[in-house]
Amino acid sequence: MFYRMGVSIIVVSLVASATLAQDARPQGANTELFKQLNEGDLTPEQSRDLQKIRNLKTTVDAKVISLDVEALRSASTVTVRLDSSRATDIGLGGLQTASSGSSDKYIAGPNGELSKSSALGTTTAASQDFARVGSISPSSDNPTPRKSIFHVEGNRVFGSIFASDAVYDIRPIAGGSAHVLIKVDQTKFPPEHPPASRPDNRGDLPPDAGVVQNSQLRKPNDSKVYDIRVLVGYTPAVKAAVDSPAGLIGLAIDATNSSYQASKIRAKAVLAGTVEVNLVESGNFSKDLAALRTMQSLREARHSANANVVVVLVNESQACGLASQIYANPANAYAVVYYDCAVTNLSFPHEIGHLQGARHNPEEDSAGVPFAYGHGFLKPTQHVRDIMAYDCAEGCVRQPQWSAPPDFGTPDRSNAAKVIDETAPYVASLH
């Protein structure tokens, strides 16, 4: 799930009473978002889900907590205790519409038939669903601001907190009234891409890059924010592993949009639809990606949802993800992502970034096509890296941000934000 630290799991029940609204809180006091509870109070189903999370290689510890969902809705600042020794304040941005609920849901049947379904997970009225992006103030030791993303569907909260030394994940468990706060060790994630010919076993890149035509790129006077419509699939194995695929997908879309906003990219990821894909996972990313690209029911779902790109979540830990091509064309704008890497390792926007034309940091990938300046960026002195970069020797937490000069990139090599912004019109035209 996340970074070069441990994974602490904290189970949370939600406190949603109206008496906790911001106008009822003491003036000048920040709200404590979490309160620790007794793990013995969990139901058997919740204990089962908690154990599933603890069994992940990236998970280190678990604590049961209550979570004040009304504070996420109304407070401007909340305090979180990510471990027992320190309190961290998160300033919350404005209320946003959650990336969920209204998108179409499909099921691909065993014989290839396609049908709309509500089986993705429990959803609630749109008025109860919201998202908020938070910021952890920079310090003298870590001057780069850290982001937090919260996706709320009714009483279910999905979130990621990108702290200075680690990343934390929030997931609901059975019943929706309890949650888990997970401190993630990013070094325990599988390779970024499936291992193959690279001697360091860190994974191969997607196949050769697509050919760029200048007519496909954003024109100098074009300030439009382009919608990138994403159809997100998930396999039965993911459905069995995750309490709510819907919430995880919504958080992945929100994290992608948070990264666009943070990097001043004029694009918006739109959840075009969700589809339960009838794929028996083989354990081989390349094989499964090839099978998904030719699956008739998935093609039909993409057409019905008018989606530009397709990302399928899988439950196989051979790698964190794989895109069909760097700078995709209409026929191969597909990617697969291991669900546990999707948000806490930002592999969901990472693979979409490949489809949009971005590459890894130049220390790992020196190729200059399709864009010489389209690489990720490392900042080892501050222990951070952008979405497209591999880890650094000093330990760099991946942030929901794209490389961009002057402070988080270079003009000639590491300006992935420019690539994503320039290619937005083209990617938005893929069908």
Side-chain angles (χ1 to χ4, degrees):
M1 303 178 67
F2 255 118
Y3 183 49
R4 189 176 290 272
M5 299 305 301
V7 176
S8 303
I9 302 183
I10 303 174
V11 182
V12 221
S13 65
L14 295 177
V15 181
S17 169
T19 61
L20 293 175
Q22 189 177 16
D23 56 10
R25 307 179 201 278
Q27 290 187 352
N30 292 338
T31 301
E32 291 267 357
L33 188 58
F34 309 137
K35 290 184 179 179
Q36 189 164 349
L37 298 177
N38 185 351
E39 188 177 322
D41 294 335
L42 295 178
T43 67
E45 292 80 9
Q46 290 170 340
S47 295
R48 177 204 64 202
D49 285 354
L50 176 59
Q51 191 58 47
K52 286 182 183 178
I53 296 172
R54 280 186 165 147
N55 288 341
L56 294 169
K57 293 180 180 179
T58 50
T59 300
V60 173
D61 191 22
K63 299 170 186 173
V64 181
I65 63 173
S66 64
L67 188 150
D68 187 347
V69 70
E70 188 57 36
L72 285 178
R73 183 187 301 275
S74 59
S76 59
T77 303
V78 293
T79 298
V80 295
R81 295 189 181 275
L82 300 176
D83 57 42
S84 59
S85 62
R86 59 175 174 148
T88 300
D89 290 341
I90 300 177
L92 296 173
L95 213 62
Q96 302 178 22
T97 302
S99 300
S100 61
S102 62
S103 59
D104 290 333
K105 301 171 180 65
Y106 305 90
I107 285 186
N111 299 315
E113 70 276 12
L114 187 71
S115 59
K116 285 191 177 182
S117 171
S118 59
L120 182 63
T122 303
T123 56
T124 56
S127 60
Q128 298 181 22
D129 299 346
F130 64 92
R132 295 192 81 176
V133 175
S135 294
I136 300 174
S137 298
S139 64
S140 57
D141 293 335
N142 291 285
T144 301
R146 293 346 197 243
K147 295 292 183 182
S148 300
I149 304 143
F150 301 98
H151 174 94
V152 182
E153 297 186 358
N155 70 341
R156 302 158 72 84
V157 177
F158 306 80
S160 290
I161 301 172
F162 298 78
S164 61
D165 58 351
V167 179
Y168 296 79
D169 190 27
I170 296 172
R171 295 186 194 175
I173 51 179
S177 62
H179 289 67
V180 179
L181 177 66
I182 308 161
K183 184 181 179 183
V184 179
D185 184 349
Q186 280 189 327
T187 67
K188 300 298 184 182
F189 278 118
E192 202 68 54
H193 300 300
S197 59
R198 286 173 58 114
D200 58 9
N201 202 40
R202 295 185 73 173
D204 268 5
L205 290 168
D208 293 340
V211 177
V212 178
Q213 299 179 16
N214 288 335
S215 61
Q216 298 169 339
L217 304 181
R218 184 186 293 272
K219 304 300 185 292
N221 61 348
D222 182 4
S223 60
K224 178 180 176 178
V225 177
Y226 285 87
D227 286 348
I228 310 300
R229 294 181 58 81
V230 186
L231 174 68
V232 184
Y234 64 99
T235 65
V238 171
K239 187 177 181 181
V242 180
D243 179 62
S244 174
L248 177 60
I249 290 169
L251 179 63
I253 293 289
D254 289 339
T256 302
N257 283 325
S258 173
S259 72
Y260 290 163
Q261 294 165 10
S263 302
K264 297 180 173 56
I265 294 170
R266 292 165 293 182
K268 179 182 179 181
V270 175
L271 182 58
T274 55
V275 57
E276 183 178 344
V277 178
N278 185 42
L279 175 72
V280 177
E281 298 176 15
S282 69
N284 184 300
F285 266 55
S286 298
K287 180 179 178 180
D288 287 350
L289 180 57
L292 291 167
R293 285 180 54 189
T294 59
M295 185 178 289
Q296 184 60 31
S297 56
L298 188 58
R299 288 181 174 182
E300 291 177 6
R302 181 186 180 188
H303 176 75
S304 297
N306 194 30
N308 308 123
V309 300
V310 179
V311 180
V312 177
L313 301 181
V314 297
N315 185 13
E316 50 187 280
S317 57
Q318 181 198 35
C320 272
L322 182 65
S324 292
Q325 181 171 284
I326 297 176
Y327 197 63
N329 58 51
N332 65 11
Y334 289 77
V336 289
V337 172
Y338 173 39
Y339 82 90
D340 192 36
C341 296
V343 180
T344 43
N345 195 48
L346 294 169
S347 294
F348 187 91
H350 177 103
E351 299 306 331
I352 295 177
H354 279 315
L355 298 176
Q356 294 169 305
R359 303 191 73 107
H360 298 150
N361 52 302
E363 294 88 347
E364 293 287 338
D365 171 20
S366 60
V369 292
F371 300 94
Y373 49 86
H375 293 267
F377 184 71
L378 294 171
K379 207 167 189 178
T381 57
Q382 295 180 22
H383 301 280
V384 292
R385 55 181 164 136
D386 87 320
I387 284 174
M388 298 307 299
Y390 275 96
D391 201 357
C392 62
E394 296 82 357
C396 291
V397 178
R398 182 174 274 172
Q399 299 294 313
Q401 191 171 342
W402 304 84
S403 62
D407 297 326
F408 207 55
T410 61
D412 57 336
R413 294 295 277 163
S414 296
N415 195 354
K418 180 179 180 181
V419 168
I420 304 303
D421 185 74
E422 285 182 333
T423 62
Y426 169 69
V427 176
S429 72
L430 300 178
H431 293 288

